[in-house]
Amino acid sequence: MADSKKDTKTINGAQLLIKLLEHQGIDIIAGIPGGANLPIYDALYESSIRHILVRHEQAAGFFAQGISRTTGKAAVCFATSGPGATNALTAIADAKLDSIPVVAITGQVSYSLVGTDAFQEVDTYGLTLPITKHNFLVRDVMELFEVIPEAFRIAVSGRPGPVVVDIPKDVQLQTVNLSELPDIFILEEEDIEDKETLNTIEKAARMINESKRPVLYIGGGVINADASQIITEIAEKSSIPVTCTLMGLGAFSPENPLYLGMLGMHGARYTNFLLDETDLLIALGVRFDDRATGKVESFCPNASIIHFDIDNAEINKVKKAHINIVGGLKPILNKLAPLIKANERKEWIGKLNDLKEKHPFVMPPETDLFHPLTIIRELGNILSEDDIVATDVGQHQMWTAQGYPVRKPRTFLTSGGLGTMGFGLPTAIGAAVANPDKRVVCISGDGSILMNIQEFATLADLQPDLKVIIMNNGYLGLVRQQQEMIYNKHYIASKFDSSPDFAAIAKGFGIKGVRIGTDENPIEVIRKCISEPGPCVIDVPVRSEENVVPIVPPGKANYEMIGGEL
Amino acid sequence: MDSQYCVIELIVKNHPGVMSHITGLFARRAFNLEGILCGQIGNSGDSRMYLLVKNDERLEQIIKQVQKLYDVKEVSICKDCKPSIFTNISELVKNSSCEI
């Protein structure tokens, strides 16, 4: 063991925890101290790990997600017992739904008090059981030697996900002789030797080569597997159009003529129409989510399905696959690629171009300066391919997914599965701290930003190069839109009666704030703000009653889209 | 009880949270769970668990989800188990008497 410590000394559980985290290579932790995790913070006092004091435990979880989503590595957050842990739950559940490796370490009341309704006691183990990949309640200091490296192994291996480690205060204070630290888990790519799998890969290649109208349907699993390059190779060689899920954006270049953009509920019309005609759906790292498939029975009705995914439980869960492989995408596709024959597919690509011409994704005219899509398109011109965009949840999120060209994996951070308003700001701050060489933009709405606005304080502390653009329409826009389109224009609880002055709020926190007037050119103001270093909050009064189109009404088939026609 | 039911056999790590993990999974994924039998296997630190479930199209998904649980070491459909082993249990429960 290279890193082992040979000299034996007595330390406590909290010190052991910090040593194990350092040993894992953790260098940043976001969190908030409290009664039940103070020994951990006391141990952190001696550590080289940088601690980021956020202002709400949910933000600590999202901060860790910002690190993890941009680097692919597991990241850590701390919270105390009781309300600390319950505050963190939303960020943990969010990480579960989007398969993000986060290790949340919570303080717990002393084990001798567990079950007595002690001050700030809550059943963190029970609460996190359904929203984690796995969770641990540590009952003895010796367990830490196994639990901590195991927590990281679980978080990053297979389908990644969050792990909670709940540590009672008396375990944190229990002493232990430290002799050597356990090995850390290193994720290794395995080559495929299994005969059956190799046969299935050959069969998949035959199906792809024989198919007349194939489509690649790729998702977040491709980003986690770092398989975007090999997919591009396959798609280009065999002329296969590629559609991305929300979580898959960035896995295929939007500048590639084979790119179809996002599919499903807010996909372009031609994309959903083309999927209706495919005879072979090659589903990679996707889970056939209802926002992507629409009414399942009508999704790709004429297609055979090849499904490759690292999680066996996703195979046949929603849609029966004709052939499937469970495993890491990269080794599978590395074996598949050489078997794919070059094919121009003139007819099918002709069909794609024809549909695209007749049913394109319709952008507003460039002169429509206060349409959110205009602003988002311009952001695509202002930012470079390495810059990072985080969104909140709502209309602005869907417009960003439709209109922002995500050119590289891990540069687009969005709450896909759980759809958490309040995700954007703390995740963006985490991303900015983990990637100090990159510019970060958080696109939010006037509804979402208020759900973690206290993090303006963390922004003021850290002063990262991060711009928050608030698409301010005075509504919970996506709710208003559904009420207009589906609930007979019965508008209830979707319009805000008052609107805060976000620029003044930002200044109150000690950061720059800009409120764009309706007589100004918002693009020019945004461009100027982005060119200046440091944080800035930009409040943009977008047109208030725009809808995200096209839209597939919930429960309908994807071809039954409303709106977005030429 | 008849062939509309089947019995899933599990070997699990025996610790205080394992039962919550299993039953929680069934509840949150809306899988039916008709009966549970559980006991420690000697002093091995493992327990064997029998789950009585409906034999329908969701069985494949149930097994795959159970396999994903960290504390579950082995999952199989118990071909030799008769769902009737649960009959005595339901009698016990119905009659609230230990003399069965």
Side-chain angles (χ1 to χ4, degrees), chain A residues 125 129-130 134-136 139 150 153-154 159 311-313 315-317, chain B residues 15-18 20-21 24 28-29 60-61 64-65 67-68 70-71:
Chain A
Y125 184 84
L129 190 144
H134 191 60
N135 58 356
F136 295 97
R139 291 181 174 79
E150 195 59 357
R153 188 194 64 78
I154 294 167
R159 179 179 185 168
D311 182 359
N312 187 23
I315 310 288
N316 301 337
K317 185 181 88 176
Chain B
H15 74 86
V18 67
S20 313
H21 270 281
R28 71 177 176 271
R29 293 213 176 250
E60 177 187 341
Q61 182 62 204
K64 284 176 173 178
Q65 291 294 351
Q67 274 167 340
K68 276 167 65 169
Y70 178 78
D71 294 318

Side-chain angles (χ1 to χ4, degrees), chain B residues 8 58-67 75 77:
Chain B
I8 302 174
R58 301 201 74 190
L59 188 61
E60 177 187 341
Q61 182 62 204
I62 292 178
I63 295 202
K64 284 176 173 178
Q65 291 294 351
V66 173
Q67 274 167 340
V75 184
I77 293 181

Side-chain angles (χ1 to χ4, degrees), chain A residues 36 81 107-111 113-114 118-121 167-170:
Chain A
S81 65
Q108 181 57 279
V109 301
S110 286
Y111 195 61
L113 295 175
V114 164
F119 177 64
Q120 292 194 328
E121 182 189 358
I167 311 176
K169 194 173 181 181
D170 51 358

Side-chain angles (χ1 to χ4, degrees), chain B residues 49-95:
Chain B
M49 226 182 242
Y50 295 103
L51 308 175
L52 182 67
V53 299
K54 281 219 173 87
N55 188 5
D56 60 19
E57 76 288 346
R58 301 201 74 190
L59 188 61
E60 177 187 341
Q61 182 62 204
I62 292 178
I63 295 202
K64 284 176 173 178
Q65 291 294 351
V66 173
Q67 274 167 340
K68 276 167 65 169
L69 293 177
Y70 178 78
D71 294 318
V72 172
K73 294 177 158 181
E74 287 173 37
V75 184
S76 57
I77 293 181
C78 182
K79 292 220 170 64
D80 302 326
C81 295
K82 295 189 180 73
S84 60
I85 58 170
F86 284 89
T87 313
N88 289 344
I89 307 294
S90 47
E91 285 302 311
L92 169 73
V93 173
K94 210 189 315 178
N95 299 325

